[in-house]
Structures are given as structure tokens and as C-alpha cells.
């Protein structure tokens, strides 16, 4: 019974480039599965899944929304994700907890830049996928060219499970190559018919190609294919499921979600081909005390409870909702749970199943399911929740670096505390959004993934939190690092009458390329008591948060504590923390600090005739195009790298250079050292601003 219930769960995401039709497809799924009785549209701001005011105004998805639908005796948990690169963390954290995904592609545009980004994100988490070529009724729609692009650009090893009958305004139906039946549409009405005569030959040819490809993964199918025996529909489905679960092929389906064509067949494909939690198998984690010891959890109600928190939303009606994906065991409403990441005990007030805006109370959440918890006080995105007697630590979620800064302040001093509370809630919801306060300038600086990201944050402060704020111009989020190893010794002594302050440390700082901020305790023989070591680490980390060159956070620095001393009366945690901070400020110039700038990966789709001007312009921006490939007939896809500080206002420049016919996408790639001449000017500029 238990296994059968888990077997009928599908945790899927819908991912794509912006404007490929993700939310429209989800709205149709909700309608056809009976969750809604009216189809919401993105263009008129009525989409159920886009329930934030900012989403409705812009006609895009910003926050991934979770919804549960039922189809053919299966429970389908769907997460509709954003397509805009500024909200890439929403896709990242969704893929971390999903078992399968639908890759949506526009038949008119094919594989676009963000399509590649989300494809590679799914590769990182080894998520099985099916593809849906949407907008078959649009001008320029080409199903078979889109499949070619999937193979060329994504290495998808595509397999057409359906083919369209007609295209553009002549798109009238879909042929199912597995069942060898055709489907025609008249608004809501769908008819299954025999394949029309004029499509019979191509259908047989494409089905033969499909069986030939699948027979490479299934001996039974191969034997029947080679001996020309009858091949049953079930034979094809068994071979296809194996190939999809092992990421060997990508089955491709087609339709037009806006015109209600192909969505019900897509739901059938989700049930038939995407994996249940059982098929995804055990989840691996680590022992809380020993990271080298792996622990597994099988998707079963009888195993100890384990789950990961993948999203937090502050709801004005029910408070903070913590979305979790359960991997094993059973969690009951009103019970206690252990946060092994924070090492804190939490009480579960309520468990909700979310249907976008609607909420449904649940008595329990079981293995393989997705739900939202009310009452979590300490849990943040990426935290592991588990049974306190059987602790496990699951792999956290990958967070990208922020690349854009903006100064922000309330219109009046009275609203400063209110602004701080609002920003704190928003950083809890979105780990790709960061806030820091500069004590010297008394300015609050917010950081995000792009201009649209920060624009939405400011809009939410005004609408949701009723705050009038003043903001500065967006600026590049620079970082600092060191390039030379330095050994240093420092004593901190202060007498104030009565107890004084004393701390003595000897340490080494060195570059830690690509490994982040690291603290190593090499103290031998108790020269510094154990209780003071955390204070030294705290002083080190706090100092690096503000930087030591001009005040930007530092990256890739290793601190090795070698020796030191203490006073039995005058030493304290505060003394060691201050000692560390002062020592680092004293030594920083010897470590040859440098400024780092964010380098962005850029992809430009352009007609051939504009290539020369576009490449020349990128070169002038200190960028480099390192790859060109055919995108469509007469068009090229250019890809390369360019510093973010050179890209402000680029959209209007590209429009001018290409008469509005080129498009581009950028995403964060890495931080890299600034050229010396530019660094010197910036250091001088920032130093003057500090005075």
C-alpha cells in the first residue's frame, strides 16, 4: 500500500527561457486536472501561479510557486519556475528537490540562452526530463528544427514521441508515435482519430526511428525489432522509462498551451515517463558529527523522517511558510522536528498543501511529498529537517554570488527599524538577496542578481511593507581578495583600571583560490584556551565582511592560527575578537590586496550581417567572444565573457547596432581581478567617498 502510494507521486518542475509559456502551460494543467474552473492568463494578470503583484504587472514569473494536481490516479506536485536569469536561484532550489522536469521550448525561438542555463542546472542535479515544444501555432514555428537545436546545443539526444500535424496557423493536431493515433482539437474538445493518410508515411518513419533508438537501451525491444516481431505499446514505454530515468534520451512532445492543444497528452507523459520518488531511489546525506560518513534514506514511511527546506514565503495571513521536500518517514502536524543544519529543535504548528493562493491543512506529510510548514523559527533555505534521534545532514543548495549593489534608505528616521525588519524577512525568503550596513557611511547596501531583481525588491518594500524608500543607482558589487601569503604576530593590551584586556595571536593569511573563506586552528599545547578560538574566527570573518582595501566583502582568504598567548584574568572573548580585527587591518597591505569584478557569461543571438559590429563593441567593453555557432538559417549564436561594469545600458546599444533584431542574455560566471589601471582609479574614488 505504502509503496503504491509513493509510486503514484510525481514531483516535477516546469523550466524554460523567459516567455516560452511555462505559466500558461501550468494554468492549463490546473484547469484540465480540475484544480481551477477558469483558465488564468499571464497577459491579463490573472494567472493563478503568478500571484505576486510584481508578477502580474510584468507578466513574468518571479517566485517559484508550488501546486498539487491530480491526474489519472496520480498526485503531481508542480513547481512553476521563473525564466529570467535574475531569479536563477528559484530554478536552482527547485531542481534540488524535484524528481523530474518538463523542459519547455518555444517552437518559434528554439533553444534560447536561458534554456541552456536551466538545462545545465538540471544536469548538476541529474534530473530526468521530457521536452515540450510549445507555441506550435506561432509564426516561424518549426518542431524538427527545434529538435536539431536541442541536440546541437544541449546534447539532449532527443527522441520525438509525437509529431505535429501542420504548423503556424495550419497547426491542427498531434500524432502520438507510441500509440500511433492522431489527436485533433476544436477549442476544449479533443478527438482521437486514426492517423490521416497524408501523415501516415512520415508517422511510420518517425516511429521506426524512435523504436530503433530505444532498442539500444532494452534487450527485449531490440530482439523484437531485429526479428520484426510485434512491438506492444508497453514494450516502448518500459524501454523509454529506463532511458529517461538514466538521462540517456530526452523525449519530445509538442502543442500549443495557449490554444489548449497537447497539454492533456503532456500530463499523460508525466505519469508514463517521469520518475516517482521510489524510482529516484535513496537520498544520501552525511553524519552530523563526521562529514566523511555517508547515511542513506530510502523513500519509505517506516524510515526516520528526513526533508530539506527549499523555499520560504512570508504570507500575510498565515505567517512564514517553509516549503519542504520530504525524502523519508512521516511528519505529523503539532509534532517536533530537528533542524540538523542549525542544530535546533523546531515545533511544526501546521502542515499545508499549497495550491498557489489556496491553502489546505494536512494532518501529516509523508515520504516523497512536498508541503509547507507553519511555525518554523530557525529554519532557512537549504536546511535539513530530520528525526532528532536519527540525525542526517543533506546536501545544501548552491547559491550564486550577487553582482549588483544598490544603496537604500527610508524616507524618515522613524522607518529605519521597519526597513531593517522588512529586509531581514526578504533575505530569509531569498538567499540570493543580501543586505549589509556600512558603519562608516551609515548606509544600507542591498545586493542582488541583477537590476530587475533589485527593482522587484524595492517594489515589494513599497507595496507589501508600505515603506517609502530612497534608492541610489545600481552599481557593480565588487569584491576584494589577497594575492600574497603573510605571517603576522599581534598583541592587544589595554588597561582601564580594574580588569584590562589582553590577547596575543600569531597567524598566517594566504590566498585560497576558489575555496572561499576558511579558518584553520593549528594551536598546539593550549597556548590559547579552546573557549577563545571561536572569538578569533568571528573576528576574522567579521573583518572580511567589510573588506580591508576599500570596504567590499572579501573572497578566497585562508586564516591559519599558529600560536598565541593569554592572561588568566585580563583575557576575554572580546579581547581576542578585537585583537584579530586589529591584526588583520595592520597586515592587510603586506598581503597585496586587489579588487575583483564580476565577469558575466554573455550569449547573443544575431543575424549574420550585424556580427562584426557586435563583436567589435564587446571587445571595446573588455569582453571576448570565444564561440560562434549557427543558431538558425542566417543567424548566429555568439558566446563569451564580459565584465559587468561595462554592460550597463547594453540593451539599448544592441538594439541600435542590430536594428532591434538581436537579443542577449547574461549570467554570473566568476569574479576576476581588475586591470591595475582601473583598480587604482576605483580605489581612489571609493577612498574619497569614504571621507
Amino acid at each position: 500500500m505504502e509503496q503504491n502510494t509513493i509510486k503514484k507521486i510525481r514531483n516535477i518542475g516546469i523550466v524554460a527561457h523567459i516567455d516560452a509559456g511555462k505559466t500558461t502551460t501550468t494554468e492549463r494543467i490546473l484547469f484540465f486536472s480540475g484544480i481551477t474552473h477558469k483558465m488564468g492568463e499571464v497577459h491579463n494578470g490573472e494567472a493563478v501561479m503568478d500571484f505576486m503583484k510584481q508578477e502580474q504587472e510584468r507578466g513574468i514569473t518571479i517566485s517559484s510557486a508550488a501546486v498539487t494536481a491530480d491526474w489519472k490516479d496520480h498526485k503531481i506536485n508542480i513547481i512553476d519556475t521563473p525564466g529570467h536569469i535574475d531569479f536563477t536561484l528559484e530554478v536552482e532550489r527547485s531542481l534540488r528537490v524535484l524528481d523530474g522536469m518538463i523542459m519547455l521550448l518555444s517552437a518559434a525561438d528554439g533553444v534560447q540562452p536561458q534554456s541552456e542555463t536551466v538545462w545545465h542546472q538540471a544536469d548538476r542535479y541529474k534530473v530526468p526530463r521530457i521536452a515540450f515544444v510549445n507555441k506550435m501555432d506561432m509564426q516561424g514555428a518549426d518542431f524538427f528544427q527545434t529538435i536539431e537545436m536541442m541536440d546541437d546545443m544541449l546534447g539532449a539526444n532527443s527522441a520525438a514521441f509525437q509529431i505535429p500535424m501542420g504548423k503556424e496557423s495550419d497547426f491542427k493536431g498531434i500524432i502520438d508515435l507510441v500509440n500511433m493515433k492522431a489527436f485533433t482539437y476544436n477549442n476544449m474538445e479533443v478527438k482521437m482519430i486514426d492517423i490521416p493518410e497524408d501523415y501516415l508515411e512520415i508517422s511510420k518513419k518517425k516511429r521506426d526511428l524512435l523504436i530503433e533508438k530505444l532498442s539500444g537501451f532494452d534487450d527485449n525491444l531490440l530482439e523484437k525489432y531485429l526479428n520484426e516481431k510485434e512491438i506492444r505499446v508497453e514494450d516502448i514505454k518500459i524501454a523509454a522509462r529506463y532511458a529517461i530515468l538514466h538521462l540517456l534520451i530526452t523525449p519530445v512532445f509538442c502543442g500549443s498551451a495557449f490554444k489548449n492543444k497537447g497539454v492533456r497528452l503532456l500530463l499523460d507523459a508525466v505519469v508514463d515517463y517521469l520518475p516517482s520518488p521510489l524510482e529516484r531511489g535513496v537520498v544520501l546525506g552525511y553524519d552530523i558529527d563526521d562529514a566523511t560518513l555517508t547515511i542513506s534514506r530510502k523513500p519509505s514511511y517506516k524510515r526516520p523522517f528526513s526533508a530539506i527546506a527549499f523555499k520560504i514565503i512570508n504570507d500575510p495571513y498565515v505567517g512564514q511558510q517553509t516549503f519542504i521536500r520530504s525524502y523519508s518517514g512521516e511528519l505529523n502536524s503539532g509534532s517536533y522536528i530537528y533542524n540538523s543544519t542549525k542544530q535546533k529543535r523546531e515545533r511544526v504548528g501546521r502542515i499545508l498543501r499549497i495550491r498557489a493562493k489556496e491553502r489546505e491543512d494536512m494532518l501529516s506529510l509523508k515520504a516523497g511529498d512536498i508541503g509547507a510548514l507553519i511555525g518554523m523559527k530557525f529554519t532557512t533555505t537549504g536546511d535539513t529537517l530530520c528525526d532528532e534521534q536519527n540525525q542526517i545532514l543533506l546536501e545544501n543548495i548552491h547559491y550564486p554570488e550577487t553582482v549588483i549593489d544598490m544603496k537604500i534608505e527610508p524616507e524618515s528616521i522613524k522607518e529605519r527599524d521597519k526597513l531593517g525588519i522588512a529586509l531581514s524577512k526578504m533575505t530569509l525568503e531569498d538567499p540570493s538577496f543580501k543586505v549589509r550596513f556600512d558603519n562608516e557611511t551609515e548606509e544600507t547596501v542591498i545586493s542582488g542578481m541583477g537590476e530587475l531583481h533589485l527593482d522587484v525588491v524595492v517594489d515589494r518594500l513599497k507595496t507589501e511593507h508600505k515603506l517609502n524608500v530612497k534608492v541610489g543607482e545600481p552599481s557593480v558589487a565588487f569584491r576584494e581578495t589577497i594575492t600574497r601569503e603573510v605571517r603576522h604576530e599581534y598583541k592587544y593590551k589595554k588597561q582601564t583600571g580594574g580588569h584590562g584586556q589582553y590577547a596575543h595571536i600569531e597567524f598566517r593569511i594566504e590566498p585560497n583560490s576558489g575555496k572561499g573563506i576558511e579558518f584553520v586552528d593549528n594551536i598546539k599545547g593550549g597556548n590559547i584556551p579552546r573557549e577563545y578560538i571561536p572569538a578569533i574566527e568571528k573576528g576574522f570573518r567579521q573583518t572580511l565582511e567589510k573588506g580591508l582595501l576599500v570596504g567590499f566583502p572579501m573572497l578566497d582568504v585562508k586564516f591559519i592560527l599558529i600560536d598565541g598567548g593569554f592572561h588568566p584574568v585580563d583575557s576575554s572573548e572580546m579581547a581576542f575578537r578585537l585583537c584579530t580585527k586589529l591584526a588583520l587591518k595592520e597586515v592587510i597591505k603586506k598581503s597585496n590586496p586587489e579588487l575583483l569584478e564580476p565577469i558575466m557569461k554573455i550569449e547573443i543571438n544575431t543575424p549574420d550581417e550585424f556580427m562584426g559590429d557586435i563583436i567589435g563593441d564587446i571587445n571595446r567593453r573588455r569582453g571576448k567572444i570565444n564561440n560562434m555557432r549557427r543558431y538558425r538559417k542566417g543567424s548566429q549564436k555568439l558566446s563569451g565573457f564580459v565584465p559587468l561594469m561595462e554592460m550597463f545600458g547594453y540593451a539599448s546599444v544592441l538594439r541600435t547596432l542590430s536594428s532591434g533584431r538581436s537579443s542577449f542574455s547574461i549570467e554570473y560566471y566568476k569574479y576576476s581581478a581588475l586591470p591595475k589601471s582601473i583598480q587604482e582609479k576605483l580605489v581612489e574614488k571609493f577612498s574619497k567617498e569614504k571621507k
Side-chain angles (χ1 to χ4, degrees):
M1 178 66 182
E2 170 208 304
Q3 299 289 290
N4 198 42
T5 305
I6 300 174
K7 202 174 180 178
K8 290 189 174 181
I9 294 174
R10 299 288 183 272
N11 293 315
I12 65 163
I14 301 180
V15 300
H17 186 90
I18 190 169
D19 204 30
K22 297 179 303 300
T23 301
T24 301
T25 303
T26 311
E27 293 296 323
R28 297 306 185 265
I29 289 172
L30 297 185
F31 180 80
F32 289 126
S33 62
I35 301 299
T36 58
H37 303 288
K38 178 178 179 256
M39 284 183 281
E41 305 294 358
V42 175
H43 59 265
N44 61 19
E46 292 180 0
V48 172
M49 298 299 280
D50 287 347
F51 53 89
M52 286 170 62
K53 178 178 177 288
Q54 294 76 18
E55 296 176 313
Q56 293 163 359
E57 288 174 352
R58 291 168 172 81
I60 62 170
T61 301
I62 292 167
S63 174
S64 55
V67 68
T68 300
D70 298 305
W71 188 256
K72 294 191 173 176
D73 201 27
H74 284 68
K75 183 196 290 181
I76 303 176
N77 294 315
I78 307 164
I79 296 183
D80 173 35
T81 60
H84 198 286
I85 193 66
D86 281 15
F87 307 104
T88 188
L89 177 67
E90 292 290 337
V91 182
E92 186 81 32
R93 59 181 169 186
S94 298
L95 289 170
R96 168 69 180 83
V97 300
L98 294 172
D99 298 323
M101 78 175 198
I102 300 170
M103 179 77 188
L104 223 65
L105 298 156
S106 164
D109 300 306
V111 177
Q112 295 170 277
Q114 187 65 3
S115 309
E116 294 189 69
T117 301
V118 295
W119 185 272
H120 297 314
Q121 284 176 303
D123 283 342
R124 174 158 52 231
Y125 295 112
K126 296 182 172 57
V127 180
R129 66 211 72 168
I130 61 178
F132 181 66
V133 179
N134 193 24
K135 303 191 177 184
M136 280 303 307
D137 56 330
M138 292 281 286
Q139 188 176 351
D142 193 324
F143 178 74
F144 295 110
Q145 186 176 352
T146 302
I147 284 183
E148 280 180 30
M149 292 173 76
M150 287 176 65
D151 290 336
D152 291 345
M153 297 179 183
L154 306 175
N157 194 19
S158 306
F161 277 52
Q162 294 173 347
I163 58 172
M165 289 195 289
K167 62 180 180 179
E168 299 179 341
S169 59
D170 191 38
F171 176 57
K172 53 184 176 281
I174 296 161
I175 294 169
D176 178 351
L177 297 176
V178 176
N179 293 287
M180 283 302 274
K181 288 289 181 183
F183 294 83
T184 58
Y185 296 85
N186 180 17
N187 196 14
M188 290 294 168
E189 194 181 328
V190 57
K191 280 186 182 175
M192 185 172 74
I193 61 171
D194 290 332
I195 297 170
E197 196 66 38
D198 49 340
Y199 283 100
L200 204 52
E201 188 180 337
I202 188 171
S203 299
K204 287 177 179 175
K205 183 181 172 187
K206 293 294 181 184
R207 188 178 198 260
D208 206 44
L209 285 172
L210 173 62
I211 292 170
E212 184 183 340
K213 181 170 276 193
L214 291 175
S215 64
F217 313 116
D218 186 281
D219 290 341
N220 174 52
L221 190 62
L222 179 63
E223 192 261 329
K224 286 186 175 182
Y225 177 66
L226 292 175
N227 294 304
E228 298 184 0
K229 291 182 181 177
E230 182 194 351
I231 294 173
R232 298 173 305 131
V233 168
E234 198 55 36
D235 295 329
I236 297 173
K237 287 186 176 181
I238 289 168
R241 281 188 74 83
Y242 176 86
I244 294 162
L245 264 56
H246 292 84
L247 308 181
L248 299 170
I249 64 161
T250 305
V252 187
F253 303 85
C254 64
S256 168
F258 185 60
K259 296 285 178 64
N260 311 311
K261 296 177 180 178
V263 176
R264 281 164 281 197
L265 294 175
L266 182 64
L267 275 169
D268 288 344
V270 167
V271 167
D272 287 341
Y273 302 116
L274 287 180
S276 69
L278 276 180
E279 287 161 315
R280 285 289 271 166
V282 299
V283 64
L284 295 176
Y286 304 96
D287 186 279
I288 196 164
D289 298 316
D290 183 0
T292 61
L293 190 63
T294 45
I295 304 171
S296 65
R297 286 282 187 271
K298 188 180 175 183
S300 165
Y301 304 163
K302 295 167 186 164
R303 298 298 171 107
F305 183 78
S306 65
I308 191 163
F310 69 94
K311 184 173 178 61
I312 289 170
I313 292 177
N314 280 291
D315 187 294
Y317 300 105
V318 297
Q320 183 177 297
Q321 297 176 358
T322 304
F323 283 79
I324 69 166
R325 157 68 198 267
S326 167
Y327 288 99
S328 61
E330 184 175 350
L331 179 66
N332 295 313
S333 181
S335 63
Y336 283 90
I337 195 172
Y338 190 70
N339 182 326
S340 57
T341 308
K342 300 280 195 312
Q343 298 189 18
K344 298 270 190 182
R345 203 171 185 229
E346 295 261 40
R347 186 179 181 275
V348 180
R350 292 165 67 194
I351 303 173
L352 303 178
R353 183 174 307 293
I354 308 296
R355 298 182 185 269
K357 279 189 284 191
E358 304 301 318
R359 294 171 289 271
E360 176 188 312
D361 274 284
M362 300 165 64
L363 294 175
S364 65
L365 187 74
K366 297 180 179 180
D369 216 345
I370 287 175
L373 309 184
I374 306 296
M376 301 291 100
K377 291 182 179 177
F378 310 106
T379 302
T380 55
T381 299
D383 286 359
T384 299
L385 299 171
C386 61
D387 177 67
E388 193 168 359
Q389 306 308 315
N390 297 275
Q391 295 176 22
I392 186 173
L393 199 58
L394 300 173
E395 182 190 349
N396 208 316
I397 295 168
H398 170 78
Y399 301 133
E401 286 287 341
T402 56
V403 294
I404 291 276
D405 283 351
M406 185 189 279
K407 290 173 184 172
I408 188 168
E409 59 179 277
E411 276 199 340
S412 66
I413 301 281
K414 289 187 292 184
E415 291 189 316
R416 182 173 284 178
D417 288 346
K418 193 177 172 185
L419 176 64
I421 293 165
L423 290 174
S424 176
K425 282 183 179 178
M426 291 168 86
T427 55
L428 198 63
E429 289 180 15
D430 180 4
S432 68
F433 170 64
K434 293 185 178 138
V435 180
R436 71 176 191 275
F437 185 74
D438 192 318
N439 287 314
E440 291 179 34
T441 61
E442 294 193 340
E443 290 175 323
T444 300
V445 179
I446 58 175
S447 304
M449 300 301 298
E451 291 180 73
L452 178 62
H453 191 186
L454 295 187
D455 182 37
V456 168
V457 166
V458 172
D459 200 1
R460 288 185 64 196
L461 287 171
K462 292 175 180 175
T463 55
E464 290 177 29
H465 299 279
K466 306 294 184 275
L467 278 163
N468 290 317
V469 292
K470 294 185 281 187
V471 296
E473 287 295 314
S475 60
V476 174
F478 293 103
R479 294 289 182 264
E480 301 175 15
T481 194
I482 61 172
T483 59
R484 187 183 297 155
E485 181 183 309
V486 179
R487 184 165 175 151
H488 194 62
E489 185 177 6
Y490 192 85
K491 284 183 183 175
Y492 174 66
K493 287 193 281 189
K494 195 171 184 182
Q495 288 300 132
T496 53
H499 285 322
Q501 296 286 348
Y502 180 87
H504 171 209
I505 60 170
E506 189 177 339
F507 64 95
R508 187 172 78 245
I509 58 169
E510 58 187 53
N512 199 30
S513 183
K515 295 178 183 174
I517 305 301
E518 193 176 346
F519 178 87
V520 179
D521 172 19
N522 275 352
I523 289 287
K524 302 284 191 296
N527 290 349
I528 298 175
R530 304 304 317 157
E531 63 263 29
Y532 297 139
I533 304 298
I536 298 170
E537 181 174 0
K538 190 174 183 181
F540 160 63
R541 292 186 183 276
Q542 284 179 341
T543 306
L544 266 56
E545 280 173 14
K546 295 291 170 60
L548 293 161
L549 186 60
V550 287
F552 290 103
M554 300 193 80
L555 296 177
D556 298 339
V557 179
K558 189 174 186 176
F559 181 104
I560 299 137
L561 185 61
I562 300 166
D563 205 351
F566 73 103
H567 188 279
V569 176
D570 292 347
S571 286
S572 65
E573 288 184 10
M574 186 177 78
F576 274 99
R577 191 170 73 250
L578 283 170
C579 177
T580 307
K581 287 185 171 186
L582 293 167
L584 284 166
K585 285 178 181 174
E586 188 175 276
V587 78
I588 194 64
K589 286 183 182 173
K590 297 177 187 174
S591 65
N592 196 23
E594 63 182 10
L595 271 182
L596 304 174
E597 63 175 336
I599 302 297
M600 312 300 283
K601 180 184 176 186
I602 185 167
E603 291 192 339
I604 305 167
N605 296 333
T606 179
D608 292 344
E609 64 256 42
F610 306 117
M611 274 177 52
D613 289 342
I614 289 171
I615 292 172
D617 181 66
I618 290 292
N619 290 340
R620 284 190 290 276
R621 295 170 185 271
R622 295 192 287 121
K624 185 179 180 182
I625 297 296
N626 58 9
N627 191 24
M628 290 177 275
R629 63 187 177 194
R630 181 68 54 197
Y631 175 57
R632 282 176 175 268
K633 191 175 180 182
S635 294
Q636 296 279 347
K637 181 188 283 286
L638 312 177
S639 56
F641 302 95
V642 63
L644 177 64
M645 69 180 293
E646 307 289 349
M647 291 301 288
F648 288 100
Y650 181 68
S652 58
V653 172
L654 184 63
R655 273 197 300 272
T656 304
L657 287 174
S658 66
S659 304
R661 292 172 61 197
S662 299
S663 62
F664 81 103
S665 171
I666 60 172
E667 63 177 296
Y668 168 74
Y669 176 61
K670 68 173 184 177
Y671 270 92
S672 184
L674 272 160
K676 286 290 179 191
S677 57
I678 298 175
Q679 177 174 306
E680 286 167 9
K681 288 177 186 173
L682 284 172
V683 169
E684 187 180 341
K685 176 192 164 197
F686 293 135
S687 300
K688 281 180 182 174
E689 288 175 0
K690 289 262 184 188
K691 289 176 183 175

